[in-house]
Amino acid sequence: MRIALGQLESGTDIQANLAVMDRFAAEASRGGAGLVAFPEYATYEKKKVDATFPEVAEPLDGPVCQELAATARRHRIALVAGVVETSEDPGKAYNTLVAYGPDGGRLAFYRKIHLFDAQGFGESTFIKPGASTSPVVFEHGGVRFGLMTCYDLRFPELARSLADAGGHVLLVCSSWVPGTHKTEQWLALNAARAIENSVYVAGVCQAPPVSVGRSVLVDPMGVVELDLGLDAGVRTVDVSLETVARVRESFPMFRQRRLQ
């Protein structure tokens, strides 16, 4: 199956962000991709999360998500993107990934559970963590995709739970905060999650300056099959269930694992 990574430089103009995603989805579809993944906070982003995030938040059946569903339907491609979702708390929003099929129907959604309260950031001041820690996996084109968001990448148990739930490709939709050694950590952690779970990891990130860019597709052996560098853009790459099966047979960790 061919998938696409759409590296964005999202800002506060929601309609402009949606227009870029529509253009990238069209390009991905023309390139033969069956799914396009966009970063965390794809529809609304700033250098730091602030009070405007809950102000612009919408429910998953609101206009922003309706437009994302329309983009998927218009270009006949599955689409995953980060949105700012209304929560039960008027002062906070959910940081949510939503997935749509080529018919525009919603396949899954995931509310980020590990909020970025580190490096002087306080995401939890304005964002509410998802209540459920159950792995979110959906199937499209015979491939099972697991959903993770940014800081989740530092918590290996979530990636393992997605692999245990049948995931072949982990979509790590991110806006990885820049800093000392942060790009090196981003690349290393994407590779580590791929190797230790015998899965593909598609780490799709916001571009600089708000984030580090370097959206990557890492195969189950830790080989980087695609790297988008620092500029916004969309690229396609193939994933193979046969490769996943072959690596899991060579390194049968799921059979050999001892939990007690």
Side-chain angles (χ1 to χ4, degrees):
M1 180 181 182
R2 183 165 294 175
I3 67 172
L5 308 187
Q7 184 162 288
L8 303 176
E9 44 187 356
S10 300
T12 58
D13 187 331
I14 294 173
Q15 290 305 311
N17 297 333
L18 289 169
V20 173
M21 283 188 277
D22 184 81
R23 179 163 54 86
F24 283 4
E27 185 175 339
S29 182
R30 288 194 300 270
L35 177 143
V36 58
F38 293 110
E40 173 186 30
Y41 293 131
T43 57
Y44 184 85
E45 177 63 308
K46 287 183 171 182
K47 194 166 182 60
K48 281 196 175 185
V49 176
D50 62 18
T52 65
F53 282 71
E55 290 172 3
V56 303
E58 295 182 5
L60 294 183
D61 60 356
V64 167
C65 283
Q66 288 180 25
E67 183 55 39
L68 291 173
T71 292
R73 186 168 53 248
R74 182 161 47 247
H75 302 298
R76 303 299 300 170
I77 190 170
L79 182 152
V80 178
V83 301
V84 188
E85 181 196 358
T86 306
S87 81
E88 304 82 0
D89 184 339
K92 294 188 178 184
Y94 287 119
N95 180 349
T96 302
L97 300 181
V98 63
Y100 295 100
D103 63 354
R106 192 169 70 209
L107 298 173
F109 68 92
Y110 165 68
R111 292 167 176 159
K112 184 179 182 183
I113 59 174
H114 298 111
L115 301 184
F116 189 61
D117 291 349
Q119 285 189 286
F121 284 68
E123 189 177 22
S124 65
T125 304
F126 302 104
I127 301 296
K128 187 180 180 74
S132 174
T133 58
S134 298
V136 177
V137 177
F138 68 91
E139 185 169 332
H140 174 63
V143 178
R144 291 180 63 81
F145 295 89
L147 296 180
M148 300 173 63
T149 305
C150 201
Y151 197 44
D152 286 337
L153 191 61
R154 293 184 181 271
F155 298 84
E157 59 273 15
L158 178 57
R160 177 53 56 90
S161 73
L162 292 166
D164 282 341
H168 304 116
V169 180
L170 306 188
L171 301 176
V172 187
C173 301
S174 305
S175 186
W176 199 258
V177 174
T180 304
H181 305 309
K182 290 295 296 293
T183 297
E184 293 86 350
Q185 292 174 7
W186 163 253
L187 297 173
L189 289 167
N190 276 280
R193 299 294 88 86
I195 294 166
E196 67 196 8
N197 294 295
S198 300
V199 294
Y200 286 93
V201 172
V204 56
C205 201
Q206 294 277 0
V210 73
S211 187
V212 300
R214 300 297 299 275
S215 297
V216 291
L217 189 284
V218 185
D219 81 0
M221 288 293 286
V223 177
V224 177
E225 300 283 352
L226 179 69
D227 185 332
L228 269 69
L230 301 181
D231 296 327
V234 61
R235 296 266 303 277
T236 61
V237 64
D238 292 326
V239 297
S240 164
L241 295 184
E242 291 76 13
T243 296
V244 173
R246 184 175 67 253
V247 173
R248 289 183 176 181
E249 186 59 32
S250 296
F251 297 94
M253 297 179 295
F254 287 88
R255 298 199 303 268
Q256 296 171 332
R257 182 173 44 167
R258 298 179 64 182
L259 299 179
Q260 295 183 359

